[in-house]
């Protein structure tokens, strides 16, 4: 009887499982591709584009592509020696500090904000075919 009375006194919301909002890290990892497009154009667009090589290589289908693999782009010796594949984790590390990921790279531009990086990465992911080379 006491248990029944206690259960009646506890609001229904308190009896349901507690749901916590996603962490800031999880929210950042998701990224906002629409905002990422704006950031890409304003921060990356001077040297890169999705479909044309400029100072830097084109970025369409970057996800799943081996580093330094755009055939008609001249990469630095430091990048040509690497063998990793671009994914969200490597792109995040690259955008945060290219020289730390690949010492000797010629790219010196950094994106310090984790959310900005996540948004740019979401934009690049949206412009990559699932099985791009």
């Amino acid at each position: 009887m006491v248990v029944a009375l206690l259960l009646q006194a506890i609001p229904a919301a308190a009896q349901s499982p507690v749901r916590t909002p996603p962490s800031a890290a999880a929210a950042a990892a998701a990224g906002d591709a629409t905002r990422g497009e704006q950031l890409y154009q304003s921060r990356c667009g001077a040297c890169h584009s999705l479909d044309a090589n400029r100072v830097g290589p084109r970025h369409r289908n970057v996800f799943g592509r081996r580093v330094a693999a755009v055939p008609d782009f001249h990469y630095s010796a430091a990048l040509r020696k690497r063998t990793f594949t671009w994914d969200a984790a490597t792109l995040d590390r690259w955008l945060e500090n290219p020289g730390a990921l690949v010492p000797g790279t010629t790219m010196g531009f950094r994106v310090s904000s984790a959310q900005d990086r996540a948004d740019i990465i979401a934009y690049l992911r949206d412009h990559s075919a699932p099985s791009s080379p």
Side-chain angles (χ1 to χ4, degrees):
M1 174 102 165
V2 173
V3 172
L5 290 172
L6 286 174
L7 287 175
Q8 287 178 349
I10 299 172
Q15 292 179 27
S16 64
V18 175
R19 293 202 168 110
T20 57
S23 69
D32 177 344
T34 301
R35 184 170 179 270
E37 179 177 15
Q38 297 165 350
L39 291 168
Y40 182 86
Q41 295 304 324
S42 67
R43 295 186 184 181
C44 310
C47 295
H48 294 278
S49 92
L50 289 177
D51 297 308
N53 292 331
R54 294 183 178 166
V55 173
R58 63 183 172 264
H59 282 150
R60 187 172 305 277
N61 295 324
V62 70
F63 268 78
R65 185 168 67 204
R66 190 181 56 80
V67 66
V70 173
D72 54 346
F73 185 80
H74 180 71
Y75 291 94
S76 67
L79 276 171
R80 286 193 312 266
K81 292 177 185 176
R82 303 307 291 259
T83 60
F84 63 84
T85 299
W86 293 115
D87 60 18
T90 55
L91 285 166
D92 186 61
R93 290 177 58 207
W94 175 257
L95 291 171
E96 182 177 26
N97 186 349
L101 181 62
V102 180
T105 184
T106 56
M107 181 165 149
F109 183 78
R110 295 179 181 194
V111 179
S112 59
S113 163
Q115 186 62 60
D116 289 355
R117 291 191 309 272
D119 294 345
I120 292 168
I121 291 166
Y123 172 70
L124 292 172
R125 182 184 293 120
D126 280 2
H127 290 84
S128 291
S131 61
S132 61

